[in-house]
Amino acid sequence: MNRIYKTFIICAVVGLLSYAGQSFAGNRDRSGQAGASSFLIDPWAKTNGWGNAGVSEIRGMESIYSNVAGMAFVNKTELGFSRTQYLVGSNCGMNINSFAICQSLAKRDKATGRKLKDFGVIGISAQIMNFGDVDITTVEQPEGNMGTYSPRYLNIALHYAKSFNQYIHGGISVKVVNESVSDLNATGVALDAGVQYQAGPYENFKIGVTLKNIGLPISYKGDGIMQRATITNSAHEMTLETRSAEYEMPSLLSLGVSYDFLFFGGIYKDMDKEERKDEGLTRYDADHRLTLAGSFTANSYTRDIFAIGLEYGFKQYFMVRVGYALESFGVERKDSQNPEKITAITGVNPESIYAGPSVGCSVGIPLVKKDKGNQKLFLDYAYRFTNKWRGNHYISIKLSL
């Protein structure tokens, strides 16, 4: 049975890679045509620390953005809050506040706490993006002095994930986005789906696939696109509405792979590989862990992204991570004889905001003695460099019960 699962996963990944190369590859002709761009912003420090390279690796509450399948690893309850200073120095004061809570639905033995039956994990999250105050201007008064308004983006999502067996984990999200100003708003619905597969003697080899932001086109509505006017040959003034053009959801496909290099100490140090395997040891039992991860994101409406990350963990108490993201195929080469003809699209786009390094760290603080449970408080910080302005700061706090 395990061989069947492994064969299925390998075939699925190969097929999706081919599909990504043919259908989801970044298309310069469609760049900028999608909306709901807040769906592309990851607010969690843990995942931004290595540039979203952990599509296959991420577990717990923070996985709701990178790959919802990782939420299946929530033990009992996890809840957290994140604050993001977005594009510092851009003079628009953008801040992102995010909240999430995940709850295991497993039936447990009251005496030992052991899982008797697993019904999966359910979660809910909210993300509010505030752009600060913007001056109101009109054609007649372009200099403003008419007050201000505050644009806001709100994302609310419901998540569900489940472990089908020891190796395969899957999840799905239903997301609602609302973008509004004082007299206009747009609302849409999108779906995410993800799978994670783990193998190896210590479950240290992982593959992840996630398809995100699949939904119908949406458009703006409201008084902002209406005006009062008098119809020709009529003395009556009427309200006329201009229909807003529809825009697509920023759909994407992400593929990831990772490998944990584990170093055991204590009573496990002198055991050989088979003895450790018989003990059922995983990354959580290692004294030191070094994880190498990589991902490829095929965007429908922007250029593709390659990311690589490295994370070091000392037990579950301290983790530090670095990453590097690269957007490819962004520079146009034109025919010297015919400037209107583009002969190739190669190289790296120097104007990409996210292309570049990222760093982050996490601290896990035990709340009870080890023999009484695994409750922890996690503090996370990440900084993501940007080619414009002064980067993004992420601060997150998570309570794991």
Side-chain angles (χ1 to χ4, degrees):
M1 183 62 70
N2 292 341
R3 291 183 179 178
I4 295 176
Y5 281 129
K6 291 179 181 179
T7 303
F8 171 77
I9 291 295
I10 291 173
C11 292
V13 171
V14 171
L16 285 172
L17 280 170
S18 301
Y19 180 60
Q22 297 173 10
S23 302
F24 272 80
N27 188 336
R28 68 180 180 86
D29 295 328
R30 297 191 295 177
S31 294
Q33 294 183 18
S37 56
S38 57
F39 278 158
L40 300 176
I41 300 175
D42 181 3
W44 301 103
K46 186 175 181 179
T47 46
N48 275 286
W50 55 357
N52 298 117
V55 173
S56 62
E57 172 69 20
I58 187 63
R59 297 180 171 186
M61 181 199 70
E62 296 89 348
S63 65
I64 58 177
Y65 175 85
S66 297
N67 188 343
V68 67
M71 197 178 71
F73 292 92
V74 172
N75 185 36
K76 291 184 180 179
T77 304
E78 291 187 2
L79 65 155
F81 173 80
S82 179
R83 171 79 169 183
T84 302
Q85 286 186 297
Y86 192 68
L87 299 179
V88 176
S90 58
N91 297 324
C92 56
M94 287 188 288
N95 294 301
I96 304 173
N97 296 315
S98 303
F99 172 81
I101 181 169
C102 303
Q103 176 64 50
S104 172
L105 304 177
K107 183 179 179 181
R108 299 177 180 272
D109 184 275
K110 293 183 179 180
T112 63
R114 185 174 59 89
K115 286 185 180 180
L116 300 177
K117 197 167 184 179
D118 188 3
F119 295 100
V121 178
I122 191 170
I124 187 170
S125 64
Q127 176 180 321
I128 302 173
M129 191 170 183
N130 191 335
F131 296 85
D133 294 330
V134 179
D135 290 333
I136 297 175
T137 60
T138 64
V139 175
E140 292 77 16
Q141 292 183 276
E143 69 281 358
N145 300 320
M146 300 172 58
T148 61
Y149 68 95
S150 300
R152 281 186 173 84
Y153 287 179
L154 171 64
N155 297 345
I156 300 177
L158 182 65
H159 316 276
Y160 177 77
K162 190 179 188 306
S163 296
F164 299 102
N165 54 42
Q166 180 182 352
Y167 308 100
I168 299 178
H169 317 272
I172 188 170
S173 299
V174 180
K175 308 187 295 186
V176 178
V177 59
N178 179 266
E179 302 177 351
S180 65
V181 291
S182 58
D183 54 6
L184 277 178
N185 73 85
T187 302
V189 179
L191 298 177
D192 291 356
V195 175
Q196 288 183 340
Y197 170 77
Q198 61 182 21
Y202 311 117
E203 301 175 357
N204 54 340
F205 173 71
K206 305 178 187 70
I207 297 174
V209 182
T210 181
L211 186 62
K212 300 179 58 180
N213 308 329
I214 304 301
L216 297 175
I218 60 177
S219 61
Y220 280 90
K221 296 180 180 180
D223 295 339
I225 51 177
M226 296 181 181
Q227 61 180 3
R228 301 286 292 179
T230 302
I231 304 298
T232 305
N233 299 326
S234 173
H236 300 286
E237 190 177 50
M238 303 179 67
T239 299
L240 305 179
E241 178 182 1
T242 302
R243 293 182 179 179
S244 168
E246 293 184 336
Y247 59 85
E248 302 287 338
M249 293 292 181
S251 56
L252 61 88
L253 175 71
S254 289
L255 310 171
V257 63
S258 66
Y259 190 86
D260 297 330
F261 298 90
L262 305 179
F263 305 92
F264 295 94
I267 61 175
Y268 307 123
K269 184 176 182 180
D270 297 326
M271 292 184 179
D272 59 29
K273 187 175 182 179
E274 290 300 321
E275 290 175 327
R276 292 172 181 163
K277 186 176 180 180
D278 292 339
E279 286 286 330
L281 301 185
T282 65
R283 58 186 291 170
Y284 301 111
D285 302 299
D287 283 6
H288 304 277
R289 171 180 56 85
L290 195 63
T291 299
L292 180 63
S295 69
F296 167 72
T297 300
N299 291 289
S300 294
Y301 293 94
T302 57
R303 297 182 177 94
D304 299 336
I305 301 174
F306 297 87
I308 187 170
L310 185 67
E311 179 182 72
Y312 165 77
F314 172 67
K315 297 184 177 180
Q316 295 298 305
Y317 302 132
F318 176 73
M319 285 145 279
V320 61
R321 54 191 70 91
V322 296
Y324 193 90
L326 177 70
E327 285 194 12
S328 63
F329 309 109
V331 178
E332 298 178 350
R333 290 183 179 178
K334 297 185 177 181
D335 191 329
S336 58
Q337 302 298 325
N338 183 6
E340 299 298 323
K341 182 180 179 182
I342 299 174
T343 59
I345 304 175
T346 59
V348 178
N349 176 17
E351 299 300 324
S352 171
I353 291 178
Y354 277 132
S358 55
V359 296
C361 64
S362 300
V363 176
I365 305 171
L367 301 179
V368 297
K369 293 183 178 180
K370 189 174 182 180
D371 57 345
K372 293 184 178 181
N374 197 34
Q375 293 91 333
K376 284 188 175 69
L377 179 68
F378 289 93
L379 304 176
D380 304 306
Y381 171 78
Y383 177 78
R384 195 157 186 178
F385 292 83
T386 56
N387 283 335
K388 293 183 178 180
W389 302 294
R390 297 196 298 273
N392 301 340
H393 295 274
Y394 307 83
I395 299 176
S396 302
I397 181 171
K398 181 178 77 171
L399 181 62
S400 178
L401 303 176

